[in-house]
Structures are given as structure tokens and as C-alpha cells.
Amino acid sequence: MPDVTPAPAPRPAPPRPGPSAPQPVPELAELETLAGRPLSEHVTVLDAVHRALAAQLSAAES
């Protein structure tokens, strides 16, 4: 009769270091002030928010 011993269970791999936690984006706080600002400033605020988020995304991808 052949010796049938079960194969050892695979061990889980240790966790890999993940990306660091995203840093707060101060420009997002500006969104709360849009209601009290003239409409002409909305594009400027939204553009600043977009640039800040895009910079954070590109830093996370590299």
C-alpha cells in the first residue's frame, strides 16, 4: 500500500507594502466656499482641485 501523506498546506504570502495613504488635498476645502463666491471664481476653484487631484493620482501611480 503506498504512503499517502497529504501535502503541506501552502502558507499565505506576507503582506506586501502598499502605497502610502493619500495626503489630504487642501484644495478640496475650497469647494465648500463656492456657494458664497461669484460664479466667475468657480472655474478657478474647480481647476485648482482638478490639478491637485491629478498630481496626487500621478504620484500614486509612479
Side-chain angles (χ1 to χ4, degrees):
M1 189 174 223
D3 183 20
V4 183
T5 56
R11 297 182 67 188
R16 288 188 256 164
S20 61
Q23 297 300 312
V25 179
E27 290 82 358
L28 288 176
E30 294 293 315
L31 294 175
E32 298 292 330
T33 67
L34 285 180
R37 290 184 173 203
L39 191 57
S40 60
E41 292 182 17
H42 287 207
V43 172
T44 304
V45 170
L46 293 172
D47 189 45
V49 169
H50 181 264
R51 280 194 313 271
L53 292 174
Q56 191 175 61
L57 180 61
S58 69
E61 290 177 343
S62 58

